[in-house]
Amino acid sequence: MPKPDIHPKWYPDAKVICNGEVVMHVGSTQPEINVEIWSGNHPFYTGTQKIIDTEGRVERFMRKYGMLSNTDATQDSETDSTDSQEK
């Protein structure tokens, strides 16, 4: 049994709010918890995650560890160079 008057009040049905919408109920010491990101709208969990390829790092990694053949890499770099020349 907890000692009286030393523990915070426990809310077994606290609301988790994201963008003004209640997304779930959890146990907490606060009656409402405001969050910006939760598993329902996070790109990793929703499958909308995008790989941003800056300076060819992803391609270089794929080539280094054998996930991309050298012929694919040369074709991709040739396509990239012709695309940049057209712009």
Side-chain angles (χ1 to χ4, degrees):
M1 189 81 186
K3 291 183 179 180
D5 301 327
I6 64 166
H7 296 284
K9 180 165 174 46
W10 181 253
Y11 299 96
D13 219 15
K15 299 175 188 176
V16 178
I17 300 172
C18 181
N19 296 330
E21 181 180 330
V22 176
V23 293
M24 70 177 88
H25 293 273
V26 296
S28 176
T29 57
Q30 299 177 356
E32 291 184 354
I33 302 168
N34 291 306
V35 295
E36 293 181 16
I37 296 178
W38 66 291
S39 61
N41 67 356
H42 191 279
F44 179 78
Y45 297 107
T46 60
T48 58
Q49 183 176 7
K50 296 179 182 177
I51 297 175
I52 299 173
D53 187 12
T54 56
E55 301 173 10
R57 293 181 185 182
V58 173
E59 178 186 322
R60 187 173 42 207
F61 174 84
M62 302 272 272
R63 197 175 341 119
K64 181 177 180 181
Y65 292 103
M67 297 175 202
L68 183 69
S69 66
N70 288 336
T71 56
D72 291 342
T74 55
Q75 290 174 355
D76 289 342
S77 62
E78 288 173 2
T79 310
D80 291 342
S81 63
T82 56
D83 288 343
S84 63
Q85 291 174 356
E86 291 175 1
K87 294 178 182 179

